[in-house]
């Protein structure tokens, strides 16, 4: 099968981790007879430097015209003083909105090989960590009006949080559908004791609940959820939440699995053209040092094969290769904890080892 993939290397460690994911995709293509063709797209700080804006129209069009998009990471201190609407992150938000990928799926699952890397007590980890955060991605405070007015010393900054019933309903349905195919438990996370948007969120989730009798719906306030994720993560199957809460909770959820470097994500809308990216940032402090963990990006490529290209065997093959390499004790520094028998390796070698461990199932 021929697939056109838009590739955004981005900033910081982005180019390094994406190179490893492409190495793995090329090997999968060779093993299974697929032709993965890549179109390179500039986005983020590198696009600001080259084109004067974080995501030029032509770049967005390339992404929309592709079969899917694979992204490394964007941003870095070099662009810290760029005005708000021109920041590298704005390119990412514009891409998500332009592709209309409103549903972001972020799995928090512990690899048994990395149980020691979790900062939680072994007795808590032993109960199991395997849940998914379904994050609304194209609405809420990220996309409301942003404004700073007034004179220095007396300025006022405003960020507006808006959700419509239809925006909540479409992500709610993804939450219920995801839970229905798993253990049937959906936790809707909001701040309905304070926010109108959260009260609307909660009421829509309860209306939808009647259509999904096999899914048990539970409401949770976001502050309590942050606590419950570290207290007993085994209680969660699927969490559905709005954009900013999902951003924050997914970093927390990733950390309890050992390293944020391991976690992939998919973002989808009404079509099969999705956006796939690791959930970590551009880590400019370690850029170019060949010590970044490419696994989150490699697993994002696997998600692309599974969810956008209907290639489940190929996706399983990548996930199995990651497992094999972890079984061999190979670790990038972020997941290396000195366990006897484990060996610290760099980003490139991790990519080589995973590509080398691919074996059609
Ligand atoms: C993420 C990131 C982004 C977000 C930033 C870079 C805009 O933190 O994907 O989680 O907040 O969505
Ligand atoms: Mg984030």
């Amino acid at each position: 099968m021929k697939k056109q993939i838009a590739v955004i290397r981005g900033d910081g460690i982005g180019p390094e981790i994406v190179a490893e994911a492409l190495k793995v995709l090329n090997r999968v293509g060779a093993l299974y007879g697929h032709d993965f063709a890549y179109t390179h797209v500039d986005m983020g700080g590198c696009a600001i430097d080259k084109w004067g804006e974080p995501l030029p129209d032509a770049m967005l069009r390339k992404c929309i015209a592709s079969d899917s998009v694979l992204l490394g990471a964007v941003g870095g201190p070099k662009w810290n003083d760029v005005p708000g609407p021109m920041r590298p992150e704005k390119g990412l938000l514009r891409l998500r909105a332009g592709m209309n990928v409103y549903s972001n799926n972020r799995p928090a699952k512990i690899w048994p090989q990395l149980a020691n890397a979790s900062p939680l007590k072994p007795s808590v980890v032993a109960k199991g960590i395997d849940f998914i955060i379904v994050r609304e991605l194209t609405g809420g405070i990220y996309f409301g009006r942003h404004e700073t007015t007034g004179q220095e010393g007396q300025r006022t900054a405003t960020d507006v949080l808006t959700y419509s019933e239809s925006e909540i309903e479409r992500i709610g349905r993804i939450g219920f559908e995801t839970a229905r195919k798993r253990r049937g438990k959906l936790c809707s996370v909001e701040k309905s004791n304070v926010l109108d948007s959260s009260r609307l969120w909660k009421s829509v989730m309860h209306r939808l609940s009647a259509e999904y009798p096999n899914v048990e719906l539970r409401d949770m306030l976001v502050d309590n959820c942050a606590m419950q994720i570290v207290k007993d993560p085994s209680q969660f199957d699927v969490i559905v939440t709005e954009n900013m809460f999902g951003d924050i909770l997914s970093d927390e959820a990733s950390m309890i699995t050992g390293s944020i470097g391991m976690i992939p994500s998919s973002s989808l809308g009404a079509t099969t053209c999705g956006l796939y990216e690791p959930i970590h940032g551009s880590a400019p402090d370690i850029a170019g040092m060949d010590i970044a963990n490419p696994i989150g990006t490699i697993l994002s490529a696997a998600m692309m094969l599974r969810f956008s290209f209907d290639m489940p065997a190929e996706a399983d093959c990548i996930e199995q290769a990651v497992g094999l390499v972890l079984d061999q004790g190979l670790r990038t520094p972020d997941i290396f904890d000195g366990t006897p028998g484990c060996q610290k390796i760099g980003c490139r070698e991790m990519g080589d080892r995973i590509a080398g461990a691919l074996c059609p199932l």
Side-chain angles (χ1 to χ4, degrees), residues 122-345:
S123 59
V124 176
V125 175
K127 291 171 78 180
I129 303 176
D130 178 8
F131 64 96
I132 290 180
I133 296 183
V134 174
R135 170 186 174 195
E136 201 292 324
L137 203 60
T138 54
I141 199 162
Y142 280 37
F143 292 92
R145 182 171 58 86
H146 303 288
E147 190 178 68
T148 306
T149 56
Q151 301 297 317
E152 181 100 36
Q154 292 181 331
R155 283 170 298 175
T156 303
T158 308
D159 298 287
V160 178
L161 198 179
T162 305
Y163 267 111
S164 69
E165 220 163 332
S166 60
E167 280 176 308
I168 300 171
E169 178 167 339
R170 65 183 184 174
I171 193 70
R173 287 192 185 282
I174 305 278
F176 278 101
E177 287 296 333
T178 309
R180 194 174 61 79
K181 294 182 202 133
R182 289 173 48 98
R183 301 193 297 276
K185 291 198 316 184
L186 181 64
C187 181
S188 162
V189 172
E190 29 68 5
K191 188 72 184 172
S192 57
N193 53 349
V194 177
L195 302 175
D196 263 49
S197 56
S198 281
R199 285 189 278 274
L200 183 61
W201 180 279
K202 185 172 172 181
S203 80
V204 172
M205 292 298 154
H206 280 266
R207 169 163 63 75
L208 291 178
S209 173
E211 295 177 43
Y212 299 89
N214 299 327
V215 176
E216 176 201 322
L217 173 67
R218 179 180 175 204
D219 305 304
M220 197 177 275
L221 296 174
V222 63
D223 45 353
N224 182 30
C225 183
M227 180 178 78
Q228 296 296 336
I229 284 177
V230 287
K231 184 168 171 246
D232 178 16
S234 73
Q235 67 186 289
F236 296 108
D237 179 17
V238 178
I239 288 174
V240 64
T241 192
E242 63 98 53
N243 203 344
M244 186 163 68
F245 297 161
D247 180 34
I248 298 167
L249 293 178
S250 61
D251 269 33
E252 185 191 11
S254 72
M255 200 53 227
I256 63 169
T257 71
S259 170
I260 194 169
M262 297 291 297
I263 310 289
S265 80
S266 67
S267 304
L268 284 157
T271 71
T272 57
C273 176
L275 169 62
Y276 295 85
E277 51 176 316
I279 78 159
H280 62 72
S282 61
D285 51 324
I286 60 163
M289 295 166 69
D290 192 34
I291 57 171
N293 185 348
I295 296 181
T297 317
I298 291 170
L299 293 173
S300 299
M303 283 181 119
M304 172 187 290
L305 302 184
R306 189 182 302 287
F307 296 132
S308 284
F309 300 166
D310 195 21
M311 297 178 182
E314 290 84 334
D316 287 347
C317 175
I318 295 179
E319 287 163 5
Q320 183 187 274
V322 170
L324 282 172
V325 165
L326 294 176
D327 284 342
Q328 289 162 11
L330 300 169
R331 306 277 187 269
T332 43
D334 58 310
I335 49 174
F336 180 78
D337 63 359
T339 304
C342 286
Q343 185 193 339
K344 211 188 274 185
I345 61 171

